[in-house]
Each structure stands twice: as structure tokens, then as C-alpha cells.
Amino acid sequence: TAIKGIDERRLEKLVESFYARVRADDALGPIFNDAINDWPEHLEKLTAFWSSVMLTSGRYKGQPVPAHRKHGERITPELFERWLSLWNSTTAELMEPEAAAALQAKAARIAESLQLALFFKLPD
Ligand code: HEM
């Protein structure tokens, strides 16, 4: 059952506002601004992603790991901290408390598993 205060419209607004802040961020902005040409398409894709995660809509079909891996060493653990802190402040500002908490918890889990996929190396 869906969490109170989360629907497609609110997710779309959240994604729009989050990526506006990401683009304006000194550390995160350049990576996204270099990588993304079609911003409306990216925002639509990320709204579909969060809709799949929070509303189990199945709207997102994609592969986040290769999408991040192709940016190689530009994406670092420090940037993940920055991303999460921006996500936490944006959700806290725009969403009802219960919704914000659920969105923050999901993002933390996904960031953890993305970082394992990107950064974990067995010793040679
Ligand atoms: C796509 C950067 C963290 C979810 C992208 C793209 C960039 C990017 C540049 C576009 C990929 C492309 O070139 O096609 C980053 C950076 C992060 C970060 C710098 C943190 C340091 C996250 C986190 C999530 C996430 C924590 C999820 C909670 C996605 C998704 C896509 C995406 C779903 C679309 C992948 C696809 O094409 O299907 N990200 N990202 N990202 N990111 Fe991130």
C-alpha cells in the first residue's frame, strides 16, 4: 500500500526540484550537465524510476549500474554523500514527513547498492 503523500504528481515535482538543485551544485552539477543533453527526458526517466520504487508502478525499465559506471572515476563516494544530503534536504522541504522519511530511506539503500557495484574491488 502506497505511503501517504506520495503520488505521481508529487514525485514529478520532487524530481524536477531535486535536479534543479543538482545542476546548481558546484560538485554534482558539472557531471550531470556534461552527461545529460535532454533534460525533459531525464526528468521523465527519473520520475518513472521513483514511481517504480515508491508506487511499484513498474514504469522504469533501465539499468542504473552501467549508466553510472560509464562515468568512471568522475563519480566518487564523496559525491554520493553530497547527492544524498541534497536528496534529504529536498525531500524534507517538499514532502510530508512520512513521505520524506520513506524517500530518504530508499535512496540510502539504493545509493549503498550502487556504490557496492561501482566501487567494491577484490584485492589483486
Ligand atoms: C542516471 C549521476 C546517484 C539514479 C544518472 C546519470 C548521471 C548520474 C550522470 C546519467 C547517465 C547517463 O549518462 O546516461 C549520478 C551521480 C550520483 C548518482 C553523480 C551520485 C554521486 C544516484 C542515486 C540514484 C540514481 C543515489 C538512485 C537513488 C539514477 C537513475 C538514472 C541515473 C535511475 C537513469 C539510468 C538509466 O539511464 O536508466 N546518474 N547519479 N543516481 N541515476 Fe544517478
Side-chain angles (χ1 to χ4, degrees):
T1 97
I3 292 156
K4 182 166 142 305
I6 302 187
D7 59 22
E8 289 283 347
R9 189 186 61 84
R10 283 193 176 87
L11 288 176
E12 187 181 340
K13 293 286 173 210
L14 172 64
V15 163
E16 205 177 282
S17 178
F18 176 66
Y19 285 97
R21 296 172 198 211
V22 161
R23 296 182 76 175
D25 185 81
D26 288 343
L28 291 166
I31 298 184
F32 282 89
N33 286 316
D34 289 350
I36 290 155
N37 297 312
D38 187 339
W39 273 95
E41 179 192 67
H42 183 73
L43 298 183
E44 166 55 40
K45 192 192 284 182
L46 270 290
T47 303
F49 173 78
W50 282 106
S51 161
S52 284
V53 170
M54 303 310 293
L55 305 170
T56 57
S57 65
R59 292 214 297 115
Y60 174 75
K61 310 250 183 283
Q63 298 197 312
V65 171
H68 293 90
R69 185 166 277 148
K70 76 181 184 211
H71 296 283
E73 318 246 301
R74 282 193 86 181
I75 300 183
T76 61
E78 293 69 34
L79 280 181
F80 268 91
E81 279 185 37
R82 182 90 200 115
W83 190 106
L84 283 169
S85 113
L86 214 47
W87 180 255
N88 290 349
S89 53
T90 309
T91 51
E93 208 179 292
L94 298 184
M95 307 297 280
E96 294 176 30
E98 189 192 341
L103 286 155
Q104 291 163 12
K106 282 287 186 187
R109 295 281 299 269
I110 296 164
E112 197 57 45
S113 72
L114 260 181
Q115 289 185 87
L116 278 173
L118 295 176
F119 307 133
F120 181 75
K121 299 274 191 302
L122 287 168
D124 292 319

